[in-house]
């Protein structure tokens, strides 16, 4: 299997992320080679500051700020996650 095919076969996990979530780098390291991460944020409330730019380097970012629930779900669905995890009840 080629590296590209292996990446396509990995499950994509959406991570609802805020400023008080566990370290993005630790999460990315733990997932490396087994899962691709999709970062789910609400930039209006997450308090991420410069961390938001780092998330974009670690995987796709879905920002649901201001979106109604159906539109937020559609935006996340477009990234094709096979699962979701959260460290915050706000998202």
């Amino acid at each position: 299997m080629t590296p590209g095919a292996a990446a396509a076969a990995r499950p994509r996990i959406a991570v609802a992320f805020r400023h008080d979530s566990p370290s993005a780098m630790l999460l990315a390291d733990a997932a490396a080679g087994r899962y691709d991460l999709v970062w789910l944020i609400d930039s209006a409330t997450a308090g991420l500051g410069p961390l938001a730019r780092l998330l974009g380097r670690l995987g796709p970012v879905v920002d649901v700020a201001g979106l109604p629930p159906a539109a937020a779900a559609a935006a996340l669905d477009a990234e094709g996650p096979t699962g979701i995890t959260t460290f915050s009840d706000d998202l």
Side-chain angles (χ1 to χ4, degrees):
M1 185 179 298
T2 66
R10 285 195 296 258
R12 292 176 64 102
I13 306 298
V15 179
F17 195 84
R18 291 176 16 120
H19 70 282
D20 56 353
S21 296
S23 165
M25 292 298 293
L26 289 176
L27 293 171
D29 285 345
R34 296 184 303 183
Y35 306 99
D36 291 329
L37 299 181
V38 176
W39 303 97
L40 176 63
I41 66 168
D42 180 340
S43 61
T45 63
L48 295 175
L51 186 55
R53 287 183 51 206
L54 172 65
L55 294 178
R57 293 186 182 127
L58 298 174
V61 175
V62 177
D63 187 353
V64 297
L67 295 179
L76 181 59
D77 186 56
E79 291 296 333
T82 52
I84 186 168
T85 189
T86 184
F87 301 99
S88 169
D89 290 335
D90 291 348
L91 286 174

